[in-house]
Amino acid sequence: MRSRPNRRRKNPRKLRVPALPRMPRLSRIRIGWRIFLWPVLAGSTAAALPAVLDDVVDRPVGRLVIQSTFQRVSPLQIEAALAPALDEGFWSLDLASLRRRVEALPWVDSIELRRSWPDALVVRVKEQKAAARWGDTGVLNVRGELFAERPEHGFPELPRLSGPEGSERDVARVYLAIRDRLIAAHLALGTLSVDERGAWSLVLATGQEIRFGRRDVGERIDRFFEVAAPALANELHRIGYIDMRYTNGFAVGWRDAEAEDTAVAAGGENAAHG
């Protein structure tokens, strides 16, 4: 028998599978993990920052530097007034409150406060300047303000001013206006007063009373310094009072009981006024 060649038989049932469409290639995504770390780090830093600032910047005041020349106020008084607040932080200090504490002390006129890095509080105090006594117990400053009552030091060397309640500034204003004129005339003031009726008078340190009355007080004061004081300079020790309550003149009362009172005209009427 003749042999037949071995041929593979095709399988008619085998189907061709169509090729699937190629999917687009996705780009590679890179995630920066630092983006998530920064908020965490920032939050931690912010939470710790106040404590660091308290320790480094807002530390308690370590030094109190007082830059003033004292006569009536002592550094111990200043320190005692400020001590309750010095435990606060350097930047937390309430300077306005501290200023009020010190200004409440007797004889303190004004105060300056400033911080000095890193932990010092600098204090500069200006004391009141006593210009005159008020009544029997008070003291007036150069602005005519009654700033002390019943001070430990009586200030007998200062002139004494007096008047109705609330007239302190007016009396002080007149005194400050005539102070230099008294010095120029070689006169020293003992007292200056205004009574309830508004009548002004002064008494010199040597005892002579000068009466100005209620009307035209400024003009009468001018006449005293320009006319009466120069004319009577050599006779002042003999005079008990000088009455300036005249239109254009003045009257003199002598200390000698035998001497008669004298009215001196300055070229006008001599009728006395209030």
Side-chain angles (χ1 to χ4, degrees):
M1 293 181 63
R2 180 184 282 182
S3 61
R4 297 179 177 179
N6 186 14
R7 297 180 180 178
R8 292 183 178 182
R9 298 177 62 184
K10 295 181 179 180
N11 187 358
R13 296 181 178 181
K14 187 175 181 180
L15 300 177
R16 291 185 178 182
V17 179
L20 297 175
R22 180 176 296 180
M23 299 296 292
R25 185 176 182 179
L26 298 178
S27 60
R28 185 177 181 182
I29 300 175
R30 295 182 179 182
I31 299 176
W33 295 104
R34 294 181 181 181
I35 297 176
F36 299 98
L37 292 177
W38 276 117
V40 176
L41 294 175
S44 301
T45 303
L49 187 59
V52 174
L53 291 177
D54 284 343
D55 292 338
V56 177
V57 178
D58 206 19
R59 65 181 67 183
V61 175
R63 294 185 301 131
L64 183 62
V65 181
I66 301 177
Q67 300 176 341
S68 300
T69 301
F70 294 106
Q71 293 181 342
R72 308 296 178 188
V73 185
S74 72
L76 292 178
Q77 289 177 295
I78 305 298
E79 185 175 353
L82 296 174
L86 295 184
D87 290 336
E88 299 180 11
F90 180 74
W91 293 111
S92 302
L93 286 173
D94 186 348
L95 297 185
S97 176
L98 295 179
R99 187 176 295 107
R100 288 191 295 269
R101 285 175 177 268
V102 178
E103 288 178 343
L105 295 174
W107 288 93
V108 172
D109 189 8
S110 63
I111 177 174
E112 296 179 9
L113 294 173
R114 64 178 177 86
R115 299 178 179 90
S116 180
W117 180 263
D119 63 349
L121 179 64
V122 180
V123 183
R124 185 182 297 275
V125 175
K126 181 180 178 182
E127 289 191 359
Q128 294 275 9
K129 291 184 178 180
R133 293 175 291 156
W134 180 255
D136 296 325
T137 59
V139 182
L140 298 176
N141 61 19
V142 294
R143 297 184 297 274
E145 299 168 341
L146 181 62
F147 71 91
E149 295 188 29
R150 301 186 182 281
E152 296 181 2
H153 184 64
F155 298 97
E157 71 279 7
L158 294 178
R160 177 179 175 271
L161 312 184
S162 65
E165 184 177 357
S167 64
E168 296 91 348
R169 287 183 180 270
D170 291 335
V171 180
R173 176 180 53 81
V174 173
Y175 164 62
L176 295 174
I178 67 174
R179 182 172 55 179
D180 291 342
R181 303 179 77 173
L182 286 165
I183 295 173
H186 305 288
L187 301 174
L189 179 64
T191 65
L192 173 66
S193 62
V194 59
D195 62 20
E196 297 288 346
R197 299 182 303 111
W200 291 79
S201 65
L202 66 82
V203 178
L204 299 176
T206 48
Q208 294 81 11
E209 181 185 8
I210 317 299
R211 302 168 184 173
F212 298 110
R214 295 175 296 168
R215 304 174 186 174
D216 304 321
V217 175
E219 295 179 8
R220 292 171 180 178
I221 289 175
D222 289 341
R223 195 186 321 137
F224 169 73
F225 284 107
E226 295 170 5
V227 180
L232 300 172
N234 294 331
E235 301 292 336
L236 193 61
H237 63 283
R238 299 177 53 213
I239 293 174
Y241 70 85
I242 303 174
D243 193 344
M244 303 302 302
R245 297 176 297 174
Y246 287 78
T247 304
N248 291 304
F250 57 89
V252 178
W254 303 96
R255 287 179 174 176
D256 187 350
E258 297 180 358
E260 296 181 357
D261 291 353
T262 304
V264 180
E269 296 179 0
N270 280 334
H273 293 270

